[in-house]
Amino acid sequence: MIRIEGVDAVTDADFDGEVLKAALPVLVEFTADWCPPCRQLAPVLAAVAEEEAGRLKVVQIDVDSNPEITGRYGVLAMPTLIVFHGGEPVKSMVGARPKRKLSQELEDVI
């Protein structure tokens, strides 16, 4: 998994506690080492994590190492971004996108 500054990694084991029980909305990137668009998205997620600190938590989960959560949310393409709020998925996006577009897409959920 591509490590992104300011973005924590979650696993099948700690997903519910870190994401579903979080006080803030959480943007989860479902990612994989072999995914070129995931690498393109890394600096975008780092910037969003920094700019929205205190309003949005950003985490990533490796789909190859964490099949339970990946399957639970029906993730088939990488990168998939899902925003969770109050323990429920409230928005889903597939594919890399520029920061401006991602910020616009997040406006209604944070």
Side-chain angles (χ1 to χ4, degrees):
M1 182 168 56
I2 302 138
R3 295 297 309 135
I4 303 173
E5 189 171 333
V7 177
D8 292 330
V10 295
T11 65
D12 281 349
D14 64 6
F15 183 88
D16 289 3
E18 292 292 322
V19 175
L20 302 184
K21 294 182 177 148
L24 296 173
V26 183
L27 173 63
V28 179
E29 179 202 22
F30 289 82
T31 187
D33 284 337
W34 46 263
C35 166
C38 299
R39 284 191 282 282
Q40 291 176 321
L41 194 58
V44 172
L45 290 177
V48 168
E50 183 178 334
E51 288 175 19
E52 300 298 342
R55 292 189 343 136
L56 177 73
K57 180 177 178 179
V58 181
V59 300
Q60 60 184 166
I61 186 164
D62 184 281
V63 297
D64 293 325
S65 314
N66 299 283
E68 180 190 326
I69 296 300
T70 303
R72 182 191 300 175
Y73 294 103
V75 173
L76 300 173
M78 274 25 89
T80 292
L81 303 169
I82 302 178
V83 179
F84 291 84
H85 193 250
E88 296 294 325
V90 295
K91 184 161 207 149
S92 181
M93 302 159 275
V94 177
R97 58 227 327 112
K99 183 179 158 294
R100 193 178 89 218
K101 182 168 193 254
L102 180 58
S103 295
Q104 287 172 341
E105 290 173 316
L106 292 171
E107 281 176 5
D108 61 339
V109 292
I110 57 174

